[in-house]
Structure formats: C-alpha cells, structure tokens
Amino acid sequence: MSNVLLDARRIGKSFGGVQALRDVSLTIRRGEIYGLIGPNGAGKTTFFNVLTGLYSADAGEVMFDEARLNIGAPHEVTRQGIARTFQNIRLFANMSALENVMVGRHLRSRTGVIGAVLRNKATRIEEADIADRAHRLLQYVNVDARANDLARHLSYGDQRRLEIARALATEPKLLALDEPAAGMNATETAALRELVESIRDDGVTVLLIEHDVKLVMGLCNRVAVLDYGEKIAEDVPELVQRDPKVVEAYLGGALA
Amino acid sequence: MNPATCGRRDPRVAFAGTLLLAVALALAPFAVGAGAGIAWVRVIDFALLYIMLALGLNIVVGFAGLLDLGYIAFYAVGAYLYALLSSPHLAGAFPSLAPGLHWPVWAVLPLGALVAGGFGVILGAPTLRLRGDYLAIVTLGFGEIIRIFLNNLNRPVNLTNGPQGITQIDPIDIGGVSLGSTLEVFGIAVPSVYLYYYLFLAATLLVIFVSIRLEDSRIGRAWVAIREDEIAAKACGINTRNVKLLAFAMGASFGGVAGGLFAGFQQFVSPESFTLLESIMVLCMVVLGGMGHIPGVIFGGVLLTLLPEALRYGAGPVQTALFGKVLIPPESLRMLLFGLALILVMLYRPAGLWPSAIRRREFAGAGRSVEGDRE
Ligand SMILES: Nc1ncnc2c1ncn2[C@@H]1O[C@H](COP(=O)(O)OP(=O)(O)O)[C@@H](O)[C@H]1O
Ligand SMILES: [Mg+2]
C-alpha cells in the first residue's frame, strides 16, 4: 500500500473570469494532518468543493486510495472515503443531533422501502447498529448530552463538532474540515485541536483548511499554501513559515 | 417535551385506548348513518380517500420537502387504470376484448400503485434539479397534462372516452362479495357505503402504517435530510437523485391506490374529478394539518373534507333563517370561507393546525440559526 492517500493533479477551476484554482497539485499522505492555508478568496473552499464533487473541475484529476476519484458525484466521493464539513456549518437544522449523525450512516447501511415497512430482523439489527454508532460518535465529539436536541439549538461549538461526528459516521479515510475553528473561542479551539489529533490517531487522515495560523502550524504535519488559486508552497510547517513567498503573500503580519 | 418520555405510557391505558378507538371506528358508519343520514357516511368514505392522498403527498412535500402541485394526477392514473381494467369500456375500442376487462381488485390495486409510482418517477426525473417555485410550476403543468390527456384520448382510439368519462365500472368485489350493493350480515342490512367504509378504513390504516414505518427508517431520514439541506445530504453520501425519485414514487403509489378505490366506489370516472383545485385541496390538507406530521396530516384530511360538506348542507338553511333568503350560494360561500381559513391559518399557525413538536419549535425560533452557504 502506497503511503500517498490523495494525489490531486493539476486541478483547475474558474468562475467566469475568476480563476479560482490554477494547476493545483498536492499530495496527502496516509495518517497525517495536512493543512491548507491561504488568504481569503485564495480558493481553499473551492478546492474542497471540487474534491468532494460539489463543483466540477475544469481540469485535472484526483487519485484517491490508489484509484481514480469519481469527482462527478458527491455521494460517490463520500462512498470512496472522503467526508467533509462546511465552512458555514450545514447541519440538518430540524433533526436531532443524534439523527444528524444517523444520516451519516446512510451510505454504510442498506435498508430499502420493503425492509423499512416490514421492519424485519435485518432492518432492526441495522437500525440498532446505526443508533449505537451514532451515540458513540456523539460521545466521541462530546455532544452526547444533547443527543435529542435539535441541531439548530446547539451552541456554535457543539454544531461544529456535531458536523464532524456526522462526517465520521460515513467511515472516511480522509476527513476534510473547512475552517472548523472559525468563530470558536480559545477553549473551544483547544478542544477542537485535541479532537482532530485523536481522529488522526484513530487512523483517519485529516485535511484541514484553517485561518488560525497558529493552530495549523502546531497541529499539521504538512501544510500547503494557496494564493490567488495557485499553490505557492507545500512543506512541513517550520519551512513553510519561513518561505519568503508565503510570508509576502499571507503570513507576513501574522507571524511578525 | 421529550419525545422519549411522552411515548412511555401505561401499556394498559394504551391498550384500552386502542380498543376504544377500534370499537368507535367499527361502529362509526352505523352511528353516523343513524344520526346524520347515509349521505354523511359517504362523506366519511371520501374523507378516508383524502387521508390516503394527503399522506401520499406528505411523503413528497412534508418529508422530502419537494413542492408538488400536480399530485392529483396520480389519483387519476390509479382511477383510470381501475376503470379500464374493470369495466366493459375497452371492449368498445378493441372488440376482441369483449366483454371488456374485469380484473379482480387484488390485481388492479397493486398494479395501480405500481403504475402510479412509475408516473411519479416520470414526473420526478425532469424536476430533480428544480426547487421551490420552479418545481411547483412544473408539477402543476404535469397535473394538467394528465388531465388534458384524459380529456382527449378518446381519438383515434377511444381509450378514456374523453370528457364523458368511463361508466359501468365494476364495483369492488372482495372474495365474491360485491361492495356495490347492500349486504345481509346476521340479519343486519349493511348498505354499500358502509361496506366501502370498512375497506377504505383498512386501506387507510395500511397507508398510515407504511407512512409511520417509512418515516422512522433510513429512507425517511434521508428524505428529511434532503428537505433540510440538500447539499449536506449529498455530502453525507445520500444519492439525492434516487432518494428523491423514491419519494415521488412512494407518494404517487399511495395516490394510485386511492384512485383505484375511488373508481370502484363511484363506478364512474371522468377528468373533472382531477382538476388543479383537487391538487391544491390535498396540498392544503398537508399544509394546514401540519406538514410532515402524520397525525396532523390525517387531521387536515378529515377537517377539509368534513367542513366544506357541513357548509354545503348548513349554509343554505342558516342564511334562510337569518336573511329570509339565500344571499350567497353555498358553493361560493364554501370557497370564500375556505380561502379565508387558509389565510388565517398561514398568518396565525404557519406550522399547521397540528404540527409535530419539532416543526412547532422550528417556526417559533427566530430565523434559522444554521445558515446556508454559497455552494
Ligand atoms: N460559486 C462561486 N461562484 C463564483 N465565484 C466563486 C464561487 N465560489 C468561489 N468563487 C470565487 O473563487 C475564489 C475563491 O473562493 P474560495 O474558494 O471561497 O476562497 P477561500 O475559501 O480560500 O476563502 C473567490 O474569488 C470567490 O469569489
Ligand atoms: Mg473558504
């Protein structure tokens, strides 16, 4: 098994006149936390959207887990093992926290209409398993106390973690988090950091878009920097931090 | 209120309640027939048909959140299928089929569910990328197209007999017992409308059962997830195309069954029964009752069938008593009051008259706390 989990090759994407991504190539290794940083509008979210099939790429391809990723259909991407969260949280607002995570099991369960109506043994076993895993995931992200509350009534930090639990329910090989710490206070950010580390330790590779440079530098094994849709650096945090191009494009003030 | 605790009732109380309800439902036609006249039993029969329709539409609108303004088309498909397969009509166009087709009901109804479900997919497929207003317009068009077809498919081959409709449809026959005429049971004469009541009641209970089971399943959760946030649903690995088509098909199949029952009951179908107004009526039952909440939808179905009938019978005499003559014909008054009621409900109870606990909170909260995103 190669140690490269994801290999994005020369991805290009433009919106009308805006070239949001230009020839972006990056490789993510198994078991690492890979950071993707860059100024606002650099194309980070667009890269996520292309990767997870929400946008179709104009150019390039993605190899994932030694196969070509079908980036035409979001649910296929998820099936192949990439799960994501959104920069602006997208929960099922009027479902309970538990149900949100249960939806994440859709892909890994199979009850159809007939099974649902008859509720035969196979269905009951599967439902129990879905609920059980969902409960454990809520515990994992520490939202289990609010399992029966509507997602929309959860605190901001809880919503962020619930979204992560829902993504984990799909049993991803790669978990892609789009600015998970945005809007969090220091305590919440520290808890999130621990959570991301434990996810990695449990064998899930993490791709992390982040604005909080300190968080990225402390947490990530490797970091890529996007600027105006182009990758200007990719390396371990210590080196990226000192790269003059990066300092000029983005970090300058933040690191001074 | 926590749903987990309010569901935990004393089993003896629950059993007694169920028993009482069963007895009440079993005796209802006799009580209503004796108290208010047999015409009202007929109204109740229709209420049951409308409950089935409302529950079917509820799957599409209430669960999956897809607005459908042409739902009555599936009722029409079920009704015409029954009419063609259980009447002498086809013998007119195809003499070799004389004396027409007379399929048994146990074959026609499931086939009606299947065919209507197929039509659901046909309608659903081109609308998959549409939402809200656009979806409403396309489905509205679909409903009208079906009705126009029924009106015009009497040439070159007389399939539907056009605006005159199909007559002489066989009454529903269950195990050799025709529901079309009065039946002696232990010396008690049970009129035809009562017999249909029991059949419709059984069908309605089945539809309720299927609705409840579907709601509380992997499929039901996927529907609601799509309603809540389609993009997030996709990201969760839901094949939204298939799951939406499934919603259209399931909803339509309920309509197909109800349509078949309707055709056997009336022994006559014509395009007039399947107008846009009917679609809107069923949609109102779903919305007024409490979208996505099965008891609310049932309540909406009962209310919107009974109230207009009460007005139809009551409005004339009341006006005569008050003003000495009928100022507004009951039929117009019915629509006027109906419109007024709708506006009032939308203003004061936007979640419906009997919403689910969740939906009530949803409308009570100020705005959505979970924001959409640009993608
Ligand atoms: N759906 C879209 N339509 C048009 N332009 C878009 C769309 N999504 C992103 N963009 C543009 O692409 C560029 C990159 O945006 P984005 O990927 O959101 O940046 P980031 O996540 O790095 O802040 C921006 O100029 C943005 O305006
Ligand atoms: Mg972004």
Side-chain angles (χ1 to χ4, degrees):
Chain A
M1 195 162 68
S2 130
N3 77 338
V4 173
L5 177 64
L6 180 133
D7 183 12
R9 295 174 186 162
R10 312 197 58 155
I11 303 288
K13 175 75 188 172
S14 62
F15 299 101
V18 182
Q19 186 81 34
L21 294 174
R22 190 195 311 268
D23 270 349
V24 175
S25 302
L26 41 89
T27 46
I28 301 176
R29 297 180 193 142
R30 283 177 206 278
E32 70 179 350
I33 298 177
Y34 186 99
L36 185 61
I37 61 174
N40 246 328
K44 306 179 297 289
T45 298
T46 303
F47 181 78
F48 259 39
N49 288 343
V50 167
L51 185 67
T52 55
L54 287 180
Y55 292 167
S56 58
D58 302 335
E61 59 170 1
V62 180
M63 301 298 293
F64 181 73
D65 202 16
E66 276 136 64
R68 228 192 114 142
L69 190 68
N70 176 4
I71 51 178
H75 66 272
E76 275 304 322
V77 171
T78 313
R79 177 187 302 282
Q80 287 182 71
I82 300 181
R84 68 170 290 175
T85 63
F86 294 86
Q87 183 171 348
N88 306 324
I89 307 170
R90 301 190 87 125
L91 288 167
F92 306 121
N94 298 299
M95 295 174 97
S96 70
L98 185 70
E99 285 170 325
N100 266 272
V101 185
M102 289 171 84
V103 170
R105 294 299 302 165
H106 184 87
L107 187 65
R108 310 288 175 208
S109 48
R110 42 188 315 153
T111 301
V113 166
I114 295 176
V117 171
L118 298 181
R119 196 166 288 172
N120 50 3
K121 191 148 180 239
T123 306
R124 289 197 306 270
I125 290 173
E126 189 174 272
E127 277 291 299
D129 176 61
I130 291 172
D132 185 50
R133 281 171 185 263
H135 270 297
R136 274 187 280 140
L137 278 166
L138 284 180
Q139 275 163 12
Y140 188 74
V141 301
N142 199 17
V143 186
D144 49 323
R146 319 256 348 229
N148 292 319
D149 290 334
L150 294 191
R152 65 202 302 270
H153 292 152
L154 266 51
S155 73
Y156 187 79
D158 283 351
Q159 290 191 359
R160 283 261 178 230
R161 287 200 304 280
L162 175 58
E163 209 188 11
I164 293 175
R166 186 181 70 185
L168 287 174
T170 67
E171 290 178 40
K173 297 187 176 100
L174 177 70
L175 177 66
L177 305 172
D178 196 346
E179 302 205 18
M184 283 190 172
N185 60 33
T187 340
E188 286 173 327
T189 306
L192 177 79
R193 186 197 167 106
E194 268 177 42
L195 177 62
V196 172
E197 276 172 340
S198 62
I199 289 171
R200 189 251 330 257
D201 295 343
D202 289 340
V204 179
T205 308
V206 178
L207 167 59
L208 178 74
I209 290 184
E210 195 41 78
H211 233 73
D212 185 337
V213 176
K214 271 200 236 98
L215 178 68
V216 172
M217 293 306 177
L219 190 56
C220 296
N221 302 88
R222 288 190 312 136
V223 176
V225 185
L226 280 186
D227 190 29
Y228 290 110
E230 289 187 74
K231 187 179 80 176
I232 56 171
E234 180 184 35
D235 216 321
V236 293
E238 297 74 40
L239 294 181
V240 165
Q241 225 163 343
R242 268 183 256 129
D243 189 318
K245 267 195 294 187
V246 175
V247 173
E248 189 194 337
Y250 172 55
L251 296 174
L255 282 190
Chain B
M1 207 186 328
N2 184 344
T5 52
C6 77
R8 228 182 283 132
R9 267 178 303 175
D10 187 339
R12 276 168 308 175
V13 175
F15 178 74
T18 313
L19 199 68
L20 220 65
L21 185 68
V23 171
L25 286 174
L27 295 180
F30 290 95
V32 171
I38 206 161
W40 277 95
V41 181
R42 204 180 146 72
V43 171
I44 293 181
D45 288 358
F46 270 100
L48 290 170
L49 287 177
Y50 277 111
I51 291 173
M52 286 184 242
L53 288 174
L55 285 171
L57 185 60
N58 181 50
I59 288 184
V60 182
V61 178
F63 293 166
L66 305 161
L67 190 49
D68 183 352
L69 281 181
Y71 182 71
I72 211 69
F74 307 123
Y75 189 50
V77 166
Y80 268 82
L81 194 78
Y82 185 100
L84 293 177
L85 296 179
S86 303
S87 78
H89 175 71
L90 278 183
F94 310 99
S96 62
L97 289 181
L101 295 174
H102 298 277
W103 287 29
V105 65
W106 57 259
V108 181
L109 285 185
L111 188 68
L114 219 65
V115 172
F119 271 86
V121 173
I122 292 172
L123 162 69
T127 64
L128 285 173
R129 290 174 164 276
L130 305 177
R131 286 206 76 97
D133 312 356
Y134 300 100
L135 183 60
I137 291 167
V138 173
T139 52
L140 185 151
F142 177 81
E144 287 300 285
I145 287 169
I146 294 280
R147 192 175 58 81
I148 291 166
F149 264 111
L150 296 177
N151 250 324
N152 292 287
L153 277 184
N154 50 350
R155 280 161 298 144
V157 181
N158 186 1
L159 266 185
T160 64
N161 207 25
Q164 284 102 326
I166 299 175
T167 51
Q168 288 180 277
I169 299 172
D170 303 338
I172 294 178
D173 186 301
I174 301 222
V177 178
S178 168
L179 305 191
S181 44
T182 304
L183 183 73
E184 269 307 303
V185 186
F186 304 123
I188 306 171
V190 186
S192 164
V193 274
Y194 292 21
L195 298 174
Y196 277 109
Y197 166 84
Y198 292 112
L199 176 66
F200 290 4
L201 183 64
T204 305
L205 290 176
L206 182 69
V207 163
I208 293 173
F209 175 78
V210 171
S211 285
I212 292 174
R213 280 281 167 97
L214 283 177
E215 181 183 27
D216 182 22
S217 77
R218 167 176 177 267
I219 306 286
R221 284 191 298 271
W223 284 334
V224 175
I226 289 176
R227 179 189 82 199
E228 291 293 311
D229 189 326
E230 190 168 344
I231 288 174
K234 283 182 182 166
C236 282
I238 294 173
N239 182 337
T240 53
R241 182 196 56 191
N242 291 359
V243 172
K244 279 186 187 182
L245 285 181
L246 187 61
F248 276 115
M250 280 312 298
S253 68
F254 287 14
V257 171
L261 293 171
F262 168 75
F265 179 48
Q266 294 282 81
Q267 296 179 253
F268 167 67
V269 294
S270 78
E272 238 175 76
S273 306
F274 310 107
T275 56
L276 175 61
L277 194 65
E278 289 290 310
S279 283
I280 292 177
M281 200 69 167
V282 179
L283 185 64
C284 287
M285 292 169 181
V286 176
V287 175
L288 282 189
M291 240 190 304
H293 185 222
I294 293 170
V297 171
I298 297 170
F299 176 66
V302 174
L303 195 71
L304 289 194
T305 329
L306 296 192
L307 270 194
E309 291 302 322
L311 271 176
R312 200 212 301 271
Y313 291 111
V318 168
Q319 286 188 60
T320 326
L322 282 180
F323 313 112
K325 61 178 177 189
V326 176
L327 290 177
I328 309 173
E331 196 61 22
S332 323
L333 186 68
R334 199 157 76 103
M335 293 321 290
L336 268 174
L337 286 180
F338 187 58
L340 184 69
L342 259 184
I343 292 170
L344 288 180
V345 168
M346 285 297 109
L347 279 178
Y348 296 107
R349 295 200 60 108
L353 294 173
W354 186 1
S356 67
I358 282 179
R359 208 138 179 109
R360 207 169 326 139
R361 277 177 279 169
E362 168 185 347
F363 274 90
R368 292 167 67 99
S369 62
V370 177
E371 279 296 309
D373 163 322
R374 191 174 54 210
E375 295 105 357

